Amino acid sequence: RMRRPLAGVSARCERWRRLGARLAHSGAPTASRPCVQPLVRHVAGLSRARVREVEYLAADVKQFTIEVTGEFSHQPGQWTDVFMPDIDAVGGYSIASAPSQLSQAGTITLAIKAAQHAPTEWMHRRATAGTELLLRPGGSFVYEPPVHGRAVLLVAGGIGITPILSMMRHATESEPIPKVTLAYSARRPSDLAFAESIDDMASTVRAGRVGVHLTVTRVDTRRNRKTKASPASSPAGDGDGAAEAVVAAAATAAAAEALTEREGVALGMSKGLANGRLTARRLREVLESGGRPPISEHDVYLCGPPAFITSLRQQLADQGVPRSQILFEQWW
């Protein structure tokens, strides 16, 4: 998920750089802090953070575990602005962890897909354990406990799984646990990030409360195909990083296929990965096969590319889901 830079940040950062250059030329002492630090004075609500761990989830997706200090808090489904050293644009990424992880471990989890976007490229190429950042949470795409006995339908397309996973984790930690169904679509099995985490939830949550439907839109019939790492997903010339990406892609694909091939692990899950795009009709069939209430009796949360969201919102409304029960977030 990517967001535009905050108004004025670029100009302030440039002024700070020019001032630093003049001071350095004059021989006066200058601060060693990177450009992002002076923005603390100008942008309210920032919290200091430090990257604890970085790992690949797929060939082009990196997971960042980040320690946060200060009064940072978030709700399931929200994103956070990420201010990085020497970058005059601000990254905005959905939080994949539940709020409980922050309260218990003092960390949040971000999953960032490689893209030609300055903050994203910086995170993929330069962020390592120990990197200091500034964070500020925001967003109105927030999970709310269902009312009137409704069930919950979580629908994700691609990297849109990140806020959806935060919601799923939070919902399955709640009491009473609502009936939750996750429908998650990606291009290929190796793109189904968090397959192992989803497997854990489906396996450990009380029987009958969680259902999972995974689908892919592109199928490679060749078994054990090697997945090529995206050039943007690892530092230039970093052979180890590319190797890690390939291993992660293979592990993700294997986890996704194993998850869907085990019958009975989660309610409503077809045997083997389903093929094709998610539609309201398919969602209705998944719910019916899993013994869930009618689709109109669900609170629906959608996250994914704009075309995916626009199409599904209309289809769901045509299937009788009140628009007030369809909550969504999309990127541009």
Side-chain angles (χ1 to χ4, degrees):
R1 183 182 182 280
M2 298 179 287
R3 302 178 62 247
R4 293 181 175 87
L6 296 180
V9 166
S10 178
R12 284 195 297 272
C13 204
E14 181 60 27
R15 286 198 297 271
W16 185 265
R17 284 198 182 99
R18 290 176 180 174
L19 175 60
R22 288 199 299 271
L23 290 173
H25 182 73
S26 68
T30 58
S32 60
R33 290 287 183 180
C35 180
V36 71
Q37 300 300 334
L39 300 184
V40 175
R41 305 178 188 175
H42 305 285
V43 182
L46 295 181
S47 297
R48 296 188 183 278
R50 182 190 300 268
V51 177
R52 175 185 290 181
E53 184 179 11
V54 183
E55 60 182 311
Y56 279 95
L57 286 180
D60 59 353
V61 179
K62 276 188 172 182
Q63 175 176 277
F64 298 83
T65 302
I66 301 175
E67 300 174 354
V68 189
T69 59
E71 298 181 357
F72 185 95
S73 65
H74 72 95
Q75 299 180 67
Q78 286 191 302
W79 43 259
T80 182
D81 284 323
V82 180
F83 294 75
M84 306 155 198
D86 303 318
I87 293 288
D88 59 2
V90 182
Y93 307 104
S94 296
I95 301 170
S97 49
S100 61
Q101 179 176 311
L102 179 62
S103 61
Q104 295 171 10
T107 65
I108 64 169
T109 298
L110 304 180
I112 302 178
K113 184 174 182 177
Q116 293 181 342
H117 171 247
T120 298
E121 290 178 344
W122 194 96
M123 289 295 291
H124 266 257
R125 294 176 180 270
R126 298 181 59 184
T128 59
T131 297
E132 294 186 357
L133 306 167
L134 295 173
L135 307 180
R136 185 181 68 171
S140 57
F141 184 58
V142 174
Y143 172 82
E144 297 287 350
V147 296
H148 307 305
R150 290 200 292 263
V152 177
L153 175 59
L154 305 174
V155 185
I159 200 61
I161 187 62
T162 49
I164 294 297
L165 187 66
S166 175
M167 294 179 176
M168 185 176 180
R169 285 169 162 159
H170 182 77
T172 56
E173 293 170 357
S174 306
E175 285 294 342
I177 300 174
K179 289 186 176 180
V180 179
T181 301
L182 169 67
Y184 176 20
S185 176
R187 289 185 178 184
R188 302 178 181 88
S190 58
D191 296 323
L192 289 164
F194 295 109
E196 292 185 63
S197 296
I198 294 168
D199 188 7
D200 288 342
M201 281 185 280
S203 302
T204 58
V205 173
R206 192 161 57 245
R209 307 310 293 182
V210 175
V212 178
H213 179 75
L214 305 181
T215 182
V216 292
T217 57
R218 297 183 185 180
V219 180
D220 192 334
T221 57
R222 291 171 293 169
R223 302 297 295 177
N224 301 318
R225 181 180 65 90
K226 291 185 178 180
T227 303
K228 182 178 180 181
S230 165
S233 68
S234 57
D238 182 2
D240 290 340
E244 290 174 10
V246 171
V247 171
T252 295
E257 291 176 354
L259 170 62
T260 54
E261 286 173 2
R262 286 201 303 276
E263 292 181 287
V265 171
L267 182 66
M269 191 159 54
S270 59
K271 184 176 181 179
L273 282 170
N275 299 324
R277 300 185 182 278
L278 288 175
T279 63
R281 179 176 179 179
R282 169 172 278 186
L283 293 173
R284 186 189 67 196
E285 292 171 351
V286 168
L287 296 174
E288 290 175 351
S289 67
R292 294 303 204 222
I295 194 169
S296 60
E297 297 179 16
H298 282 71
D299 287 337
V300 184
Y301 295 85
L302 311 174
C303 189
F308 175 83
I309 298 299
T310 300
S311 176
L312 267 182
R313 286 178 64 204
Q314 185 58 54
Q315 292 178 44
L316 288 165
D318 293 343
Q319 290 284 339
V321 182
R323 291 189 180 273
S324 60
Q325 292 171 213
I326 305 173
L327 292 86
F328 67 94
E329 183 168 73
Q330 64 188 34
W331 55 84
W332 33 258

